[in-house]
Amino acid sequence: MYTGSKTELNNFGVPAVTLGQLLISATGNWAAPNPALGFSPFYGRFASNPGTSTILGDAIAAEGTFFLFWAGLDDFFLYAAFGGDPTQAPITDAAAFEFQYGAAIGLLLSSNPELKGVIGNFPNIFATPHFTAVAWNAIPLDAATAGIVQTNLAANYNAFLEGMALMGVIDEEEMTMRILNFDAGQNPVLIVDETLTDLTPYMAGPYADLLPYAQARQTKNTDILPLSAGTVLGTAVGGDAAKIYGVTVPLPDRYALIPTEIAQIEAARTAFNATVSTVASTFGERIALADVNGSFNALLGTQFATYNGITLTPNINPPTGIYSEDGVHPNTRGYAF
């Protein structure tokens, strides 16, 4: 815990917290460190009164005369980083975000009638290296290995799918989507897609070996794999060389984003940006809007920019790249931009 005077601090940015966590005391409560209630060890380390104080309250108590407020990105980024798995990190409802954002800015402005600041909107996270580094067809196979997997897995699974289509359990479109195919070269990644028909009830008896594939398909170019997928792709499950993540074992939900999840995340970002814009307009005499989204889109459009003789590129590649190793947080060059 930070034991000095809280007035000595001027940076109350806390990583990996949602907007709502700025407003609740549970965020810094070391006495009951429950992540499900919003606890963050990062805030707990410097909370002025753990279990009672809040991030925003501590920021207000510092009695600053100007503020920069760029909270809310993690209300959709964390959900995306965990592959759209709500059990790992849920996405914030647009109405809840609007209420919490308004409450946070209202508390800031009411704390000091002279206080002014800048608020920022949110860029397209799917254009960052965190979501582009792992390709949808990231599985390299030689001809011999592809033939083995095609014979031992794909042939049986595909025949089963054809039977399910004949029985009317799935339609032709879903059958085609789920058909597996392995060739020499770069192959799609085998994933779990929770929007597919769950075929578990039909996988008893001679089809019991297909249970891991009850909602499986290979990725398309419309799917996105977060950077974390790269840590498990191609690894053996339980040390079994025949069970390889992304090849013969589907990647769990947390390692893949399917089109419905991508659309949900983008819809949330659009709604959140609308809230930020409305707040900036409402308090136009005291708040300016930093169009982070527009600046980032401009950099993406040109793929480079030069400021004071320094070249920037929207990637992770040194020396000009603006991202750190995690592919989403800026490096020093990116933060300067």
Side-chain angles (χ1 to χ4, degrees):
M1 184 182 77
Y2 177 70
T3 57
S5 170
K6 59 191 174 187
T7 58
E8 297 174 2
L9 297 175
N10 63 17
N11 184 351
F12 294 87
V14 180
V17 294
T18 61
L19 187 59
Q21 286 176 277
L22 304 184
L23 306 170
I24 58 175
S25 59
T27 308
N29 190 6
W30 277 112
N34 187 347
L37 298 178
F39 173 72
S40 164
F42 303 114
Y43 174 55
R45 290 180 66 85
F46 73 90
S48 64
N49 191 357
T52 301
S53 62
T54 66
I55 296 173
L56 189 65
D58 280 354
I60 290 172
E63 298 182 342
T65 58
F66 185 83
F67 68 88
L68 299 174
F69 188 91
W70 199 47
L73 179 69
D74 283 324
D75 286 68
F76 64 94
F77 169 75
L78 293 177
Y79 177 75
F82 281 106
D85 184 348
T87 65
Q88 300 292 324
I91 194 169
T92 301
D93 176 76
F97 183 91
E98 181 179 14
F99 174 79
Q100 293 165 358
Y101 201 92
I105 297 299
L107 287 169
L108 274 169
L109 295 182
S110 63
S111 69
N112 177 358
E114 302 300 320
L115 185 64
K116 296 182 180 181
V118 175
I119 60 178
N121 58 18
F122 311 112
N124 175 16
I125 59 172
F126 295 129
T128 67
H130 191 91
F131 296 99
T132 61
V134 182
W136 65 275
N137 59 343
I139 304 296
L141 297 176
D142 57 35
T145 303
I148 292 172
V149 181
Q150 186 71 26
T151 299
N152 294 343
L153 170 59
N156 294 334
Y157 182 63
N158 293 347
F160 175 77
L161 291 176
E162 291 172 2
M164 291 294 97
L166 288 172
M167 292 170 58
V169 177
I170 59 176
D171 58 24
E172 291 286 330
E173 182 179 3
E174 181 172 348
M175 183 193 75
T176 301
M177 179 187 296
R178 299 178 68 153
I179 289 289
L180 303 184
N181 188 54
F182 297 91
D183 294 308
Q186 293 300 124
N187 286 260
V189 178
L190 189 63
I191 64 170
V192 170
D193 181 342
E194 65 272 22
T195 66
L196 296 175
T197 303
D198 186 353
L199 299 178
T200 299
Y202 306 95
M203 289 177 167
Y207 304 110
D209 288 345
L210 296 177
L211 276 172
Y213 314 100
Q215 290 181 293
R217 66 171 174 86
Q218 288 176 307
T219 48
K220 315 293 182 185
N221 61 5
T222 51
D223 299 306
I224 294 175
L225 301 177
L227 191 61
S228 59
T231 65
V232 296
L233 274 179
T235 62
V237 180
D240 188 341
K243 296 180 178 179
I244 306 298
Y245 270 130
V247 184
T248 58
V249 176
L251 281 185
D253 182 26
R254 64 176 292 182
Y255 295 113
L257 288 160
I258 59 178
T260 53
E261 293 167 338
I262 297 167
Q264 180 188 16
I265 292 162
E266 276 296 274
R269 183 176 73 93
T270 299
F272 296 174
N273 279 346
T275 292
V276 174
S277 180
T278 297
V279 169
S281 298
T282 302
F283 301 100
E285 294 184 354
R286 299 179 65 184
I287 291 178
L289 174 65
D291 188 8
V292 179
N293 184 42
S295 296
F296 184 58
N297 284 340
L299 183 59
L300 286 174
T302 59
Q303 286 296 298
F304 78 95
T306 302
Y307 294 92
N308 299 320
I310 304 298
T311 299
L312 309 173
T313 53
N315 51 49
I316 202 172
N317 306 328
T320 59
I322 65 172
Y323 291 103
S324 62
E325 288 84 354
D326 69 2
V328 66
H329 288 95
N331 54 25
T332 52
R333 186 175 298 232
Y335 275 120
F337 168 66

